[in-house]
Amino acid sequence: MHQFLRVGARAANQLRAVKIQRGYTMHAEGSVLIEFGNTKVLCTASVEEKVPAHKKGSGQGWVTAEYGMLPRATHSRNEREAARGKQSGRTQEIQRLIGRALRSVFDLSLLGERTIHLDCDVLQADGGTRTAAITGAFVAAQDAVTQLLMQGKLQLSPIRDHVAAISVGIVDGTPLLDLEYTEDSACDTDMNVVMTGAGQFVEVQGTAEGAAFSRREMDALLALAEQGISDLVALQKISLLNK
Amino acid sequence: MHQFLRVGARAANQLRAVKIQRGYTMHAEGSVLIEFGNTKVLCTASVEEKVPAHKKGSGQGWVTAEYGMLPRATHSRNEREAARGKQSGRTQEIQRLIGRALRSVFDLSLLGERTIHLDCDVLQADGGTRTAAITGAFVAAQDAVTQLLMQGKLQLSPIRDHVAAISVGIVDGTPLLDLEYTEDSACDTDMNVVMTGAGQFVEVQGTAEGAAFSRREMDALLALAEQGISDLVALQKISLLNK
Amino acid sequence: MHQFLRVGARAANQLRAVKIQRGYTMHAEGSVLIEFGNTKVLCTASVEEKVPAHKKGSGQGWVTAEYGMLPRATHSRNEREAARGKQSGRTQEIQRLIGRALRSVFDLSLLGERTIHLDCDVLQADGGTRTAAITGAFVAAQDAVTQLLMQGKLQLSPIRDHVAAISVGIVDGTPLLDLEYTEDSACDTDMNVVMTGAGQFVEVQGTAEGAAFSRREMDALLALAEQGISDLVALQKISLLNK
Amino acid sequence: MHQFLRVGARAANQLRAVKIQRGYTMHAEGSVLIEFGNTKVLCTASVEEKVPAHKKGSGQGWVTAEYGMLPRATHSRNEREAARGKQSGRTQEIQRLIGRALRSVFDLSLLGERTIHLDCDVLQADGGTRTAAITGAFVAAQDAVTQLLMQGKLQLSPIRDHVAAISVGIVDGTPLLDLEYTEDSACDTDMNVVMTGAGQFVEVQGTAEGAAFSRREMDALLALAEQGISDLVALQKISLLNK
Amino acid sequence: MHQFLRVGARAANQLRAVKIQRGYTMHAEGSVLIEFGNTKVLCTASVEEKVPAHKKGSGQGWVTAEYGMLPRATHSRNEREAARGKQSGRTQEIQRLIGRALRSVFDLSLLGERTIHLDCDVLQADGGTRTAAITGAFVAAQDAVTQLLMQGKLQLSPIRDHVAAISVGIVDGTPLLDLEYTEDSACDTDMNVVMTGAGQFVEVQGTAEGAAFSRREMDALLALAEQGISDLVALQKISLLNK
Amino acid sequence: MHQFLRVGARAANQLRAVKIQRGYTMHAEGSVLIEFGNTKVLCTASVEEKVPAHKKGSGQGWVTAEYGMLPRATHSRNEREAARGKQSGRTQEIQRLIGRALRSVFDLSLLGERTIHLDCDVLQADGGTRTAAITGAFVAAQDAVTQLLMQGKLQLSPIRDHVAAISVGIVDGTPLLDLEYTEDSACDTDMNVVMTGAGQFVEVQGTAEGAAFSRREMDALLALAEQGISDLVALQKISLLNK
């Protein structure tokens, strides 16, 4: 079978170079710059001592996310959403996904009536911004929770497991892990997968951009994703060992 | 294994009663009222003889969708989005999904430089509104295309295959087809699947609302969905035979 | 005098076929599909156990209305107001009118501190949508009030009388009752009249679209409207006898 | 019959003191400060040498109006609409009314492809702002048209007749002409009437604020309005004689 | 040195004719029409017996300003900000400036927990609208405070000093005081200066519109402004002597 | 005289550590991370081959700026402007200032009909974000222009001089250069100064936050600013020597 050639001789099942830099900015309770190759996302976790209306009086906390992209994070400049006066459908879809992904590993009762805001801002985009955002936001959230534990505001961690995400797709018939921008533009099928450290699925979002895909192709993609996410969780753990 | 009991003794792999009523309103080129049990969605297809900016001069057409819900389609009244001045993230996510689903079976070059607008408005909601919308919008689009063919505006149909959608989910450990509202609220995992008439996947959107799900559970859900969509495509075909 | 010829040999002082279908959708406390010929409006009444700020602590309730039109209710597709981010001046004018009309027959003190929201959504438009909306909203409101009485939440009905509405206009010099779209487009003078069951006026909104109109013409229009509304009130009563 | 006592011993059929000051500001083609008692509205007419999209290429012009109120034109301060980010339903309803009223006396073909914008801004409100606005806007429009004629841009005036407006209402059973704020607040029925110089009706908008009104009451109100508008037209003529 | 010739043989260091008319409208606690030559700004002061969130419970009051311009206050018509749905950056910049200027002479503790809203609406613009607004708003605020003192709501005036503002600029190399529109359009450097009655600076906002300016030029401009503001404060005092 | 003690024993007339990192992100024509101590601003310059409407057909180009702050750039989290649906007055004021500052050293005729967009996004805030933004945006703009020259799209550089900015203020009676956040919060007078490489003033914006300031104090502040900006221009030059 013809094999699609990746930049830098990257193997089909190989992640791009992943870097996780904690404490990237100084004010946030958690602040992580995560890089998947040229994709760079700044993920901050901010603790707020109150909850939105639908959680008031419930004894439970809340975890929510917002996503943004600097106007020139991309090849050509995008209009600033604040200037246009509204967030695009794409932005809202991504930030809802990040929020659900993070909440899937939180025991909101253990968090108490407080909110963790995860802000994921793309400084530079080269494909996979939402999966980098989820993977980095987990580390930022962990740092914020550690601080709450050390301050005695929490007795037990509300975080039950790791969560990470990766994209997979089929380009020219080849299933590939962790698509960069040129691959993403060329692919027929694009799938974002979110999984826990225990290897369970949290989200699977597969889309046929060109031709529809078969069950066999989906199985191949899911297998790639399982392996990639397992690698990412290991990298999260290494990063969190420091300091 | 304990088996979740469904309303009306419905089997786990059974669709609700599906009704497809064509020509429901008189102005639109295609107008379909589709019912999945108590869920009722009015899907209209409107032909416009121009395309959005990103398709101008391309020789290609465009297919796009909008989704809405009447304020009292639901148990308690929802604020009207037009009054609030913006569409919710949920609404945008759904209408983007419907648009992608329909475009997946269109050859936009054969459509010519015109747009088909699919408006899916929920008159009554009881779970599965987005899957009913996709399934009904396909029939409305087919009627609109038939009219273009009969008017001689098109020589060949740009529609390459059927497309339909169904929800599946795991409730109390039981995988179920076509969730109604009470099931949807209770389920741990919820998955919306869009497939073509040929049985290929167009979209798979699975979300763990409660516990994350295993690969084996996903396989069970996908199998249920394949069968349900095959039934829906058959119903679309029967409906289109009339008149 | 030359006599304008109406579709279906309808007499100048004759209503179109009026149908009032109660219980059209299942969630709302009142849900009425009303048809004036090809004009179809879904009117729902939703009871909310609180009042807006200006009524808080007053012991009085509130009755308010919202109006919408599905994008393809009309000959050519209209942009969705939720997508455009605001309601048009026309929409706001109509919903304010419906609200005033309904409040005119309500004793708000007897309603208690609760709100009845009347949502009037046009499924298909062929002239006279606002008058159909008022006439149908009254029936929906009546059903909602009946439910409150049966639930023991109200002891006495706050509804003091019927209210209904009709359009009248002068086309080619002929005063006509209940204008359909082609007549509405052609008319020189267009008047919407709202009256109570007792035959008193609640609203009179006459507009010279072409030539200004004389006092004599206005008298002819008001006489037509009085008769038409009397017929509509009779139809409301028949409809409410059922069940 | 008990007779409602008006401020300053004004008769039931008497206008408040009306002042029309032309050339009130220097930039506009027409600029009129009109006063109905304590109600003061600045009406400017601005000529723009283009038309909105729906008139392009038609050879016809357009006349349109906007209405605003300074935040402290009223007893207590109103939030500024520009700060709130949208015009209220009331504002839109009034400016649509002013626009229709003025267009009713314009032959848009004679205006050529240009627009006259009528801006009516209330400096001080004491009831009757919309009727003062229409009456003053006519004079401003006349001045703008005179300028176009003198500049040779128009050969024939597109203005076919005068137009003016007044409010009438029933307070404590007494029909009154030209309601001031305290009367307006107390009235059962409130009617705004727009008429041409020839005594034909352009708009009749009657609303039962309290009890619904009878046909006999409406006749009394219309008679009052006819007389009041005839007086206003005479005042417009006198004002336009000067300079 | 070449000397720029001003309209009406005005000297370089001479203010335009300044008129301050108190009690211009009747509802506001302070209402001042101020004119700097052809520039006319209506400044009203409205007292509200509550404070914004950031002052609640502080025992302190608040002073804030809003600025607007009637659409035809200018040579050609400007779109109405309420219709466009937002205030321009320029409007916001000016109203923030007016608010800061007025607060600089207020002891907010002596005001008590109430707000003074200063609305500055330009009826006619010919340069210097923001400086006229500040100068007039001070007089309106003074009138509102006087009323609070007379009503016994305040024991001591919270106003510590006068505040006024003027523009200065360099046109064709000549430093000029109080620029009118044609001068403002032609000038290289434009500076707005706000000072207290005691001759201290509150705001200095200098902008090089054309060539950048030297320290020596700035000194000349500041000297002009000091003198002009001293004249304006004298005029405020004379105006406040009346009644 | 008592001397205010600065963090890190910084002298009153000393800048914080300034770092200018070019090529910080890869897509933009110019991309600079500038740091004034803990304040970090990412400034990108994007070239677009068209101009806004007011420059079309003029043969001239345009230079414009937008400013943003990541939600957790500050001590406590700020609501995201894109989510709130509008830019604050402060944001608009700052981006207008940056745009004017940069245009002051551009010969727009030499730029040709193209636009340079300067996006200044604050990653971490500790006072002085607007002055860092101007200083960094100049370097980004220079890089973008150099690229246009090397591509042969420009023959001559449209940049006539350097431009840089610094804040100065009086804290506890001591005039200080380059205020950090704690100083900015404590200061009585705050002034932002923009100057060219030639030592001419482009903008002076001084505000009395507490007590008004004297002419002598202003002179001291201007002297400090002149020296600080001269240092910043030297740093810009060194930074631009590399590569």
Side-chain angles (χ1 to χ4, degrees):
Chain A
M1 185 171 117
H2 161 83
Q3 191 73 22
F4 179 84
L5 225 64
R6 309 188 84 174
V7 169
R10 180 151 67 108
N13 66 349
Q14 194 184 342
L15 294 173
R16 287 176 283 178
V18 173
K19 286 192 218 156
I20 300 176
Q21 199 174 334
R22 288 162 59 213
Y24 187 73
T25 55
M26 71 185 191
H27 298 304
E29 283 72 37
S31 174
V32 167
L33 183 74
I34 189 162
E35 307 181 32
F36 280 18
N38 284 323
T39 290
K40 302 185 185 191
V41 185
L42 174 51
C43 308
T44 61
S46 300
V47 177
E48 189 187 21
E49 292 294 327
K50 64 178 189 192
V51 285
H54 72 282
K55 283 292 180 188
K56 249 174 214 153
S58 70
Q60 295 194 321
W62 190 240
V63 175
T64 185
E66 286 186 6
Y67 172 92
M69 212 182 238
L70 297 194
R72 196 55 195 281
T74 45
H75 279 83
S76 58
R77 186 178 182 273
N78 285 298
E79 203 190 345
R80 191 178 287 268
E81 291 189 329
R84 208 172 32 180
K86 63 174 180 177
Q87 295 180 302
S88 70
R90 179 187 174 274
T91 291
Q92 291 189 62
E93 202 167 312
I94 292 174
Q95 65 194 13
R96 282 157 57 89
L97 170 66
I98 301 170
R100 285 197 308 271
L102 269 289
R103 282 194 297 278
S104 77
V105 293
F106 260 82
D107 181 334
L108 296 175
S109 306
L110 289 182
L111 182 55
E113 285 208 12
R114 55 175 61 85
T115 299
I116 298 183
H117 294 273
L118 298 160
D119 285 291
C120 301
D121 286 273
V122 180
L123 304 188
Q124 190 170 281
D126 189 31
T129 62
R130 79 189 72 186
T131 54
I134 290 168
T135 307
F138 174 78
V139 179
Q142 184 60 268
D143 276 342
V145 163
T146 301
Q147 196 177 104
L148 288 169
L149 287 163
M150 294 193 328
Q151 293 168 338
K153 293 187 182 161
L154 291 179
Q155 306 308 319
L156 289 169
S157 171
I159 296 183
R160 298 182 298 204
D161 197 353
H162 278 244
V163 66
I166 200 67
S167 71
V168 286
I170 298 174
V171 184
D172 281 358
T174 311
L176 299 178
L177 180 71
D178 187 17
L179 307 180
E180 54 189 86
Y181 178 73
T182 49
E183 296 169 347
D184 195 18
S185 306
C187 82
D188 284 319
T189 295
D190 175 24
M191 190 177 286
N192 290 292
V193 180
V194 184
M195 296 181 80
T196 63
Q200 299 281 92
F201 292 94
V202 171
E203 292 267 345
V204 176
Q205 297 201 336
T207 299
E209 311 256 323
F213 53 97
S214 69
R215 179 61 199 275
R216 207 179 45 76
E217 288 172 319
M218 177 145 51
D219 288 348
L221 291 174
L222 290 171
L224 266 182
E226 281 185 74
Q227 173 233 305
I229 288 174
S230 160
D231 293 352
L232 287 172
V233 169
L235 290 166
Q236 287 176 333
K237 286 179 179 165
I238 290 165
S239 163
L240 285 163
L241 285 182
N242 300 324
K243 191 153 50 137
Chain B
M1 186 171 120
H2 160 83
Q3 191 74 21
F4 179 84
L5 225 66
R6 309 188 84 174
V7 169
R10 181 151 66 109
N13 66 349
Q14 193 183 344
L15 294 173
R16 287 176 283 178
V18 174
K19 286 192 218 157
I20 300 176
Q21 199 173 335
R22 289 163 59 213
Y24 188 71
T25 55
M26 70 184 191
H27 298 305
E29 284 71 39
S31 174
V32 168
L33 183 75
I34 189 163
E35 307 181 33
F36 279 18
N38 284 323
T39 289
K40 302 184 186 190
V41 185
L42 173 53
C43 308
T44 60
S46 300
V47 177
E48 189 188 20
E49 291 294 327
K50 66 180 187 189
V51 285
H54 72 282
K55 283 291 179 188
K56 250 174 213 154
S58 69
Q60 295 194 323
W62 190 240
V63 175
T64 185
E66 285 186 7
Y67 172 93
M69 211 181 238
L70 297 194
R72 197 53 196 281
T74 45
H75 278 83
S76 58
R77 186 178 181 272
N78 285 298
E79 203 189 345
R80 190 178 289 267
E81 292 189 329
R84 208 172 33 181
K86 64 174 179 176
Q87 295 180 303
S88 70
R90 179 187 173 275
T91 291
Q92 291 187 61
E93 203 168 311
I94 293 175
Q95 65 194 12
R96 283 157 56 89
L97 171 66
I98 301 171
R100 286 198 307 273
L102 270 287
R103 282 194 297 277
S104 78
V105 292
F106 260 82
D107 181 333
L108 296 175
S109 307
L110 288 182
L111 181 56
E113 284 209 12
R114 54 174 63 85
T115 299
I116 298 183
H117 294 273
L118 298 160
D119 285 291
C120 302
D121 286 274
V122 179
L123 303 189
Q124 189 170 280
D126 189 33
T129 62
R130 79 188 72 186
T131 55
I134 290 168
T135 307
F138 174 78
V139 179
Q142 184 60 268
D143 276 341
V145 163
T146 300
Q147 195 176 105
L148 288 169
L149 287 163
M150 294 194 325
Q151 292 168 336
K153 292 187 183 162
L154 290 179
Q155 306 308 318
L156 289 170
S157 171
I159 296 184
R160 297 181 299 206
D161 198 353
H162 278 243
V163 67
I166 200 68
S167 72
V168 286
I170 298 175
V171 184
D172 281 359
T174 311
L176 299 178
L177 180 72
D178 186 18
L179 308 180
E180 53 189 87
Y181 178 73
T182 49
E183 296 168 347
D184 195 17
S185 306
C187 83
D188 284 317
T189 295
D190 175 24
M191 189 177 287
N192 290 294
V193 181
V194 184
M195 296 181 80
T196 62
Q200 299 281 92
F201 291 94
V202 171
E203 292 267 344
V204 176
Q205 297 202 337
T207 299
E209 310 256 325
F213 53 96
S214 69
R215 180 61 198 277
R216 207 179 46 75
E217 289 172 319
M218 177 145 50
D219 288 349
L221 291 174
L222 291 171
L224 265 182
E226 283 186 73
Q227 173 232 308
I229 288 174
S230 159
D231 293 351
L232 287 173
V233 169
L235 290 166
Q236 287 175 332
K237 285 180 181 166
I238 289 165
S239 163
L240 286 163
L241 284 181
N242 300 324
K243 193 157 47 138
Chain C
M1 186 172 118
H2 160 83
Q3 190 73 21
F4 179 83
L5 224 64
R6 308 189 83 175
V7 169
R10 181 151 66 108
N13 67 348
Q14 192 183 344
L15 294 173
R16 287 176 284 178
V18 174
K19 286 191 218 158
I20 300 176
Q21 198 173 336
R22 288 162 60 212
Y24 188 72
T25 56
M26 71 185 190
H27 298 305
E29 284 71 38
S31 175
V32 167
L33 183 75
I34 189 163
E35 307 181 33
F36 279 19
N38 285 322
T39 289
K40 302 184 186 191
V41 185
L42 174 52
C43 308
T44 60
S46 300
V47 176
E48 190 187 21
E49 292 294 327
K50 65 179 188 191
V51 285
H54 72 281
K55 283 292 178 187
K56 249 174 213 153
S58 70
Q60 294 194 324
W62 190 240
V63 175
T64 184
E66 285 186 6
Y67 172 92
M69 213 182 236
L70 296 194
R72 197 54 195 282
T74 45
H75 278 83
S76 58
R77 186 178 182 273
N78 285 298
E79 204 189 345
R80 192 177 287 267
E81 292 189 330
R84 208 172 35 180
K86 63 173 181 176
Q87 295 180 302
S88 69
R90 178 186 175 275
T91 291
Q92 291 188 62
E93 201 166 313
I94 292 174
Q95 65 194 14
R96 283 157 56 90
L97 170 66
I98 301 171
R100 287 197 307 271
L102 269 289
R103 283 193 297 279
S104 78
V105 292
F106 260 82
D107 180 332
L108 296 174
S109 306
L110 288 182
L111 181 55
E113 283 209 13
R114 55 175 62 84
T115 299
I116 297 182
H117 294 273
L118 298 160
D119 285 292
C120 301
D121 286 272
V122 180
L123 303 189
Q124 190 170 280
D126 188 33
T129 63
R130 79 189 70 185
T131 54
I134 291 168
T135 307
F138 174 78
V139 179
Q142 183 61 266
D143 276 341
V145 163
T146 299
Q147 195 177 103
L148 288 169
L149 288 163
M150 294 192 328
Q151 292 167 338
K153 292 187 183 162
L154 290 179
Q155 307 309 317
L156 288 170
S157 172
I159 297 183
R160 298 181 299 206
D161 197 353
H162 278 244
V163 66
I166 200 67
S167 71
V168 286
I170 298 174
V171 184
D172 281 1
T174 311
L176 299 178
L177 179 72
D178 187 18
L179 307 180
E180 54 189 86
Y181 179 73
T182 48
E183 295 169 345
D184 195 17
S185 307
C187 81
D188 284 318
T189 295
D190 174 24
M191 189 177 286
N192 290 293
V193 180
V194 184
M195 297 180 79
T196 62
Q200 299 282 91
F201 292 94
V202 171
E203 291 268 345
V204 175
Q205 297 201 336
T207 299
E209 311 255 325
F213 53 96
S214 69
R215 180 61 199 274
R216 206 178 48 75
E217 289 171 319
M218 176 144 54
D219 288 348
L221 291 174
L222 290 171
L224 265 182
E226 281 185 73
Q227 173 232 307
I229 288 174
S230 160
D231 293 351
L232 287 172
V233 169
L235 291 166
Q236 287 175 333
K237 285 179 180 166
I238 290 165
S239 164
L240 285 163
L241 284 182
N242 300 324
K243 192 157 51 143
Chain D
M1 187 171 117
H2 160 83
Q3 191 74 19
F4 180 84
L5 224 64
R6 309 188 83 174
V7 169
R10 179 152 67 108
N13 67 349
Q14 193 183 344
L15 293 173
R16 287 176 283 178
V18 174
K19 287 191 217 156
I20 300 177
Q21 199 173 334
R22 287 162 60 213
Y24 187 72
T25 55
M26 72 184 190
H27 298 305
E29 283 72 36
S31 174
V32 167
L33 184 74
I34 189 163
E35 307 181 33
F36 279 20
N38 284 323
T39 289
K40 301 184 185 190
V41 186
L42 173 52
C43 308
T44 61
S46 299
V47 177
E48 189 186 21
E49 292 294 328
K50 65 179 187 189
V51 285
H54 71 282
K55 283 292 178 187
K56 248 173 215 155
S58 70
Q60 295 194 323
W62 190 240
V63 174
T64 184
E66 285 185 7
Y67 172 92
M69 212 182 237
L70 296 194
R72 197 53 196 282
T74 45
H75 279 83
S76 58
R77 186 179 181 273
N78 286 298
E79 203 189 344
R80 191 177 287 267
E81 291 189 329
R84 208 172 34 182
K86 63 174 180 176
Q87 295 180 303
S88 70
R90 179 186 173 274
T91 292
Q92 291 188 62
E93 202 167 312
I94 293 174
Q95 65 194 13
R96 284 157 56 89
L97 170 67
I98 302 171
R100 286 197 308 271
L102 270 288
R103 281 194 297 279
S104 77
V105 293
F106 259 82
D107 180 333
L108 296 175
S109 306
L110 289 182
L111 182 55
E113 284 209 12
R114 54 174 62 86
T115 299
I116 297 182
H117 294 273
L118 298 161
D119 286 291
C120 302
D121 286 273
V122 179
L123 303 189
Q124 189 170 281
D126 189 32
T129 63
R130 79 190 69 187
T131 54
I134 290 168
T135 308
F138 174 78
V139 178
Q142 183 60 268
D143 276 341
V145 163
T146 300
Q147 196 177 103
L148 288 169
L149 287 163
M150 294 193 328
Q151 291 167 338
K153 293 187 183 163
L154 290 179
Q155 306 309 317
L156 288 169
S157 172
I159 297 183
R160 297 182 298 206
D161 197 353
H162 278 244
V163 66
I166 201 67
S167 71
V168 287
I170 299 174
V171 184
D172 281 0
T174 312
L176 299 177
L177 180 71
D178 186 18
L179 307 180
E180 54 189 86
Y181 179 73
T182 48
E183 295 168 347
D184 195 17
S185 306
C187 82
D188 284 318
T189 294
D190 175 24
M191 191 177 285
N192 290 293
V193 181
V194 184
M195 296 181 80
T196 61
Q200 298 282 91
F201 291 93
V202 170
E203 293 267 346
V204 175
Q205 297 200 336
T207 298
E209 311 256 324
F213 53 96
S214 67
R215 180 61 199 276
R216 207 178 46 75
E217 288 172 320
M218 177 146 49
D219 288 348
L221 291 174
L222 290 171
L224 266 181
E226 282 185 74
Q227 172 234 305
I229 288 174
S230 158
D231 292 353
L232 287 172
V233 169
L235 290 165
Q236 287 175 332
K237 286 180 180 166
I238 290 165
S239 163
L240 284 163
L241 284 181
N242 300 324
K243 191 155 51 146
Chain E
M1 186 172 116
H2 160 84
Q3 192 71 24
F4 179 85
L5 226 64
R6 309 188 84 175
V7 169
R10 180 151 68 106
N13 67 349
Q14 193 183 344
L15 294 172
R16 288 176 283 178
V18 173
K19 287 191 215 156
I20 300 176
Q21 198 173 335
R22 287 162 60 213
Y24 188 72
T25 54
M26 71 185 191
H27 298 305
E29 284 72 38
S31 173
V32 167
L33 183 75
I34 189 163
E35 307 181 32
F36 279 17
N38 285 323
T39 289
K40 303 185 184 189
V41 185
L42 173 53
C43 308
T44 61
S46 300
V47 177
E48 188 188 21
E49 290 295 327
K50 65 180 188 189
V51 285
H54 72 281
K55 283 293 179 188
K56 249 174 213 153
S58 70
Q60 295 194 322
W62 190 241
V63 174
T64 185
E66 286 185 6
Y67 172 91
M69 212 181 236
L70 296 194
R72 196 55 196 280
T74 44
H75 278 83
S76 58
R77 186 177 181 273
N78 285 299
E79 203 189 346
R80 190 177 288 266
E81 291 189 330
R84 207 171 35 181
K86 64 174 180 176
Q87 294 180 304
S88 71
R90 179 186 175 275
T91 291
Q92 290 188 62
E93 203 167 311
I94 292 175
Q95 65 193 13
R96 283 157 56 90
L97 171 66
I98 301 171
R100 286 197 307 272
L102 269 288
R103 282 193 297 278
S104 78
V105 292
F106 260 82
D107 181 332
L108 296 175
S109 307
L110 289 182
L111 181 55
E113 285 208 12
R114 54 175 62 86
T115 299
I116 297 182
H117 294 272
L118 298 161
D119 286 290
C120 302
D121 286 274
V122 179
L123 303 189
Q124 190 171 280
D126 189 32
T129 63
R130 79 188 71 187
T131 54
I134 291 168
T135 308
F138 174 78
V139 179
Q142 184 61 269
D143 276 341
V145 163
T146 300
Q147 196 178 103
L148 288 169
L149 288 163
M150 295 193 326
Q151 292 168 336
K153 292 187 182 163
L154 290 179
Q155 306 309 317
L156 289 169
S157 172
I159 296 183
R160 298 181 299 205
D161 198 352
H162 278 243
V163 66
I166 200 67
S167 72
V168 287
I170 298 175
V171 184
D172 281 358
T174 310
L176 299 178
L177 180 71
D178 186 18
L179 307 181
E180 53 189 86
Y181 178 73
T182 49
E183 295 169 347
D184 195 17
S185 306
C187 82
D188 284 318
T189 295
D190 175 24
M191 190 176 287
N192 290 292
V193 181
V194 184
M195 297 182 79
T196 62
Q200 298 282 91
F201 291 95
V202 171
E203 292 267 345
V204 176
Q205 298 201 335
T207 299
E209 311 256 325
F213 53 96
S214 69
R215 181 60 198 275
R216 207 178 46 74
E217 289 172 319
M218 177 144 53
D219 288 348
L221 291 174
L222 290 171
L224 265 182
E226 282 187 73
Q227 173 232 306
I229 288 174
S230 159
D231 293 351
L232 287 172
V233 169
L235 291 166
Q236 287 175 332
K237 286 179 180 164
I238 289 165
S239 163
L240 285 163
L241 284 181
N242 300 324
K243 189 155 55 143
Chain F
M1 185 171 120
H2 160 83
Q3 191 74 20
F4 179 84
L5 225 64
R6 309 188 83 174
V7 170
R10 180 151 67 108
N13 67 349
Q14 195 183 342
L15 294 173
R16 286 175 285 177
V18 173
K19 287 192 217 156
I20 299 175
Q21 200 174 333
R22 288 163 59 212
Y24 187 73
T25 55
M26 70 185 190
H27 298 305
E29 284 72 37
S31 173
V32 167
L33 184 74
I34 189 162
E35 307 181 31
F36 279 19
N38 285 322
T39 289
K40 303 185 186 190
V41 186
L42 174 52
C43 308
T44 61
S46 300
V47 177
E48 188 187 20
E49 290 295 326
K50 65 179 188 190
V51 285
H54 72 282
K55 282 292 179 188
K56 249 173 215 154
S58 70
Q60 295 194 323
W62 189 241
V63 174
T64 184
E66 286 186 6
Y67 172 92
M69 212 182 238
L70 296 193
R72 197 55 196 279
T74 45
H75 278 83
S76 59
R77 185 177 182 274
N78 285 300
E79 202 189 346
R80 191 177 287 267
E81 291 189 330
R84 207 171 34 179
K86 63 175 181 176
Q87 295 180 302
S88 70
R90 178 187 174 274
T91 291
Q92 290 189 62
E93 201 167 312
I94 292 175
Q95 66 195 12
R96 283 157 55 90
L97 171 66
I98 301 170
R100 286 197 308 271
L102 269 289
R103 282 193 297 278
S104 78
V105 293
F106 261 82
D107 180 332
L108 296 175
S109 307
L110 288 182
L111 181 55
E113 284 209 12
R114 54 175 62 85
T115 299
I116 297 182
H117 293 273
L118 299 161
D119 285 291
C120 301
D121 286 273
V122 179
L123 304 188
Q124 190 170 280
D126 189 32
T129 62
R130 79 189 71 186
T131 54
I134 290 168
T135 308
F138 174 78
V139 179
Q142 184 59 268
D143 276 342
V145 162
T146 301
Q147 196 177 103
L148 288 169
L149 286 163
M150 294 194 327
Q151 293 168 337
K153 292 187 183 162
L154 290 180
Q155 306 309 317
L156 288 170
S157 171
I159 297 182
R160 298 180 298 205
D161 198 352
H162 278 244
V163 67
I166 200 67
S167 71
V168 286
I170 298 174
V171 184
D172 281 0
T174 311
L176 299 178
L177 180 70
D178 186 18
L179 307 180
E180 53 190 87
Y181 178 74
T182 48
E183 296 169 346
D184 195 17
S185 307
C187 81
D188 284 319
T189 295
D190 175 23
M191 190 177 286
N192 290 292
V193 181
V194 185
M195 296 181 79
T196 62
Q200 300 281 92
F201 292 94
V202 171
E203 292 267 345
V204 175
Q205 298 201 335
T207 299
E209 311 255 324
F213 54 95
S214 70
R215 180 61 198 274
R216 207 180 45 75
E217 288 172 319
M218 177 144 51
D219 288 348
L221 291 174
L222 290 171
L224 265 181
E226 282 185 73
Q227 172 233 307
I229 287 174
S230 159
D231 293 351
L232 286 172
V233 169
L235 291 165
Q236 287 175 332
K237 286 179 179 166
I238 290 165
S239 163
L240 284 163
L241 284 182
N242 300 323
K243 192 156 53 149

